[in-house]
Amino acid sequence: MTPFVNTLEFSKTLDASDTLSGFREKFHFPILNGEPAIYLTGNSLGLQPITATLALEQEMKDWQNLGVEGHFHGKNPWLYYHKFLSQSTANIVGALPHEVVVMNNLTVNLHLMMVSFYRPTPKRYKIIMEAGAFPSDQYAMESQVKFHGYLPDDAIIEIAPRAGEHHLRTEDILAIIEKHADETALIMFSGVQYYTGQAFDIESITRAGHGKGIKVGFDLAHAAGNIELKLHDWNVDFAVWCGYKYLNSGPGGVSGIFIHERYANDPTLPRFAGWWGHKESERFQMRKGFIPEFGAAGWQLSNAPVLSMAVHNASLKLFDEAGMSALAKKSKTLTAYLQFVIEKSNLNLNIITPPVERGCQLSILTNDDGKEIFMHLQQNGIIADWREPNVIRMAPVPLYNSFEDIFKVGHVLNTYKLKSTAN
Ligand SMILES: *Cc1c(COP(=O)(O)O)cnc(C)c1O
């Protein structure tokens, strides 16, 4: 790769040779100061695809015109709606179509997966997770161990970075797994850490867990649609993610789950059941006795939230068109360019995201000026995000961010005057 140059012209040449640059036109951008914003918060809420409204209108129209008959005679019959999203979803996470289903919301799904895969025994009841996980995941783990009668402080083993470091070393994760193997029931990690942006070695963690008879699950909220995943090949037991971050499904949008195919037909695995997870061919016989549908679909509870899923599907189609590997490839260059312009700026910013094990997000640890720098970006048309106590996160998304965007970020950073020179 040619070395980066910190000029507008250079950023434009990168855009000119970017085969994905056209996807930018397929999204709505928020307007700041009368201009489309430079949007770096696709890690928090992805932008709206222009096709989302059309997809939504289709379902609204079928509802208007068909009422309940839309379940059978709609353009996309609602009865089978979840299936319309399975192949695209599988492409994104590296799964077989029957290993995934879109349903509910993320934290709900996390609990449902825990019902099936966190099966503590008096000897093996602990959960190993990263320290500083997203609060919802911490609360889910805490309430799950309590639900089974254990004390969180005893039952949850958190792995923290070494003193003076910001991210975890895989060797340390593997050492903790080894050390606590006999008492651990579940390893539960994020795929990409929401605060630091670290991408964990899902394959190695899974292999280490399985070597000790431990179930291994991942929360991919910040990984799905961000990094290339191969959940099936990596043998992950289960995973969950939300649709509204990199996957652009809209606020509170639907979530996805992955359950490895080895559990597809396993009736011994306990689960919380609902009618939509019942064997499809017999669902409307309304008989007693739950028989799960094959694969991840057998974990569904309720009939599909079609309006939310229609929006999600519009975005999934863009992912199909672009392809995850092309997106991941562009993403690496885009984020490397962001790192370059940040390092070129005269603000002495400290990027705590690992240089290699990462997705598109960079987390920048700031000093006294952090909040002001963040406000300065906002005043200059750049939407980044602020995480207490002192981190600015920027996530250039390959579907809709350009190299020119990144050049401008560097330029705006350079127009900020530091309050303290003791930086
Ligand atoms: C965004 C995020 C959530 C949010 O959970 P919801 O149930 O969708 O509100 C949970 N966990 C992680 C790791 C996240 O990044």
Side-chain angles (χ1 to χ4, degrees):
M1 193 166 56
T2 48
F4 290 138
V5 187
N6 197 11
T7 63
L8 180 60
E9 294 67 43
F10 179 78
S11 70
K12 285 184 168 178
T13 52
L14 288 181
D15 283 329
S17 60
D18 168 19
T19 54
L20 299 176
S21 61
F23 281 92
R24 189 178 169 80
E25 265 109 69
K26 299 176 191 278
F27 288 88
H28 291 288
F29 284 77
I31 303 295
L32 270 190
N33 312 328
E35 282 189 48
I38 293 176
Y39 195 77
L40 299 179
T41 44
N43 56 347
S44 193
L45 183 74
L47 288 181
Q48 182 184 126
I50 287 171
T51 47
T53 306
L54 298 172
L56 190 54
E57 275 172 1
Q58 176 65 52
E59 305 313 328
M60 293 297 280
K61 223 166 42 196
D62 284 347
W63 177 25
Q64 265 169 37
N65 297 332
L66 301 170
V68 71
E69 291 295 311
H71 281 103
F72 307 97
H73 304 303
K75 177 156 184 274
N76 315 301
W78 303 329
L79 202 56
Y80 310 109
Y81 215 87
H82 63 277
K83 296 186 182 179
F84 306 145
L85 287 71
S86 291
Q87 182 63 58
S88 312
T89 299
N91 297 344
I92 287 171
V93 298
L96 302 170
H98 59 264
E99 289 177 318
V100 297
V101 74
V102 173
M103 62 181 198
N104 309 321
N105 288 81
L106 171 55
T107 308
V108 172
N109 285 339
L110 184 51
H111 278 294
L112 292 177
M113 294 303 98
M114 300 285 287
V115 167
S116 295
F117 293 98
Y118 176 53
R119 309 295 306 159
T121 64
K123 193 166 171 296
R124 265 185 192 257
Y125 60 92
K126 296 195 178 180
I127 298 174
I128 296 178
M129 66 189 296
E130 89 247 27
F134 193 91
S136 203
D137 301 52
Q138 293 187 38
Y139 306 148
M141 298 305 125
E142 178 191 324
S143 56
Q144 283 282 341
V145 301
K146 281 183 178 165
F147 175 77
H148 287 282
Y150 301 98
L151 296 170
D153 282 347
D154 172 48
I156 299 175
I157 300 167
E158 292 189 341
I159 312 181
R162 294 184 188 184
E165 297 186 3
H166 294 290
H167 38 86
L168 293 177
R169 300 185 188 200
T170 303
E171 61 191 281
D172 290 354
I173 298 173
L174 301 184
I176 295 278
I177 294 172
E178 178 78 33
K179 182 172 167 211
H180 295 280
D182 295 343
E183 48 184 6
T184 300
L186 175 71
I187 298 167
M188 183 71 221
F189 255 73
S190 59
V192 172
Q193 225 282 338
Y194 84 101
Y195 194 76
T196 65
Q198 176 176 16
F200 293 115
D201 185 343
I202 295 176
E203 186 176 20
S204 299
I205 294 171
T206 305
R207 193 185 308 123
H210 287 175
K212 300 292 177 185
I214 304 168
K215 293 281 190 284
V216 189
F218 290 87
D219 184 330
L220 304 176
H222 282 262
N226 178 16
I227 58 173
E228 271 194 283
L229 297 163
K230 295 191 163 57
L231 298 184
H232 176 86
D233 291 348
W234 294 339
N235 250 325
V236 167
D237 291 302
F238 72 91
V240 291
W241 56 91
C242 55
Y244 53 80
K245 289 172 179 164
Y246 294 104
L247 297 178
N248 316 313
S249 72
V254 278
S255 160
I257 64 161
F258 165 90
I259 293 171
H260 198 278
E261 99 172 315
R262 64 181 161 274
Y263 305 110
N265 252 340
D266 183 354
T268 65
L269 207 61
R271 73 182 87 191
F272 285 171
W275 71 322
W276 231 249
H278 190 86
K279 193 172 173 192
E280 191 182 291
S281 55
E282 296 175 13
R283 187 192 293 147
F284 290 96
Q285 294 174 5
M286 308 303 213
R287 268 205 303 254
K288 218 170 154 60
F290 175 72
I291 306 168
E293 175 61 19
F294 179 71
W299 269 263
Q300 295 174 100
L301 299 182
S302 301
N303 68 97
V306 165
L307 302 182
S308 179
M309 284 169 79
V311 171
H312 189 29
N313 203 17
S315 172
L316 291 176
K317 291 203 165 106
L318 298 179
F319 275 89
D320 275 341
E321 241 182 276
M324 251 339 277
S325 60
L327 287 167
K329 186 158 172 274
K330 171 177 174 183
S331 178
K332 284 202 175 77
T333 315
L334 198 61
T335 294
Y337 194 49
L338 178 62
Q339 177 175 354
F340 170 80
V341 302
I342 289 171
E343 286 169 357
K344 283 280 172 202
S345 83
N346 34 38
L347 295 186
N348 259 327
L349 296 169
N350 178 14
I351 297 171
I352 60 169
T353 306
V356 179
E357 303 155 337
R358 69 185 182 198
C360 71
Q361 174 186 321
L362 293 183
S363 302
I364 304 159
L365 191 63
T366 61
N367 294 318
D368 302 344
D369 287 54
K371 204 70 179 260
E372 282 83 359
I373 295 173
F374 169 72
M375 298 300 287
H376 175 75
L377 290 166
Q378 181 97 12
Q379 280 150 14
N380 288 279
I382 298 165
I383 304 182
D385 107 346
W386 175 256
R387 282 293 117 150
E388 295 294 344
N390 54 358
V391 160
I392 295 174
R393 299 185 307 174
M394 297 184 182
V397 166
L399 265 178
Y400 50 74
N401 284 118
S402 66
F403 290 91
E404 187 177 336
D405 282 351
I406 303 304
F407 168 77
K408 288 177 178 164
V409 172
H411 177 74
V412 169
L413 284 174
N414 266 331
T415 60
Y416 179 79
K417 298 269 173 298
L418 282 176
K419 278 188 309 195
S420 59
T421 44
N423 221 346

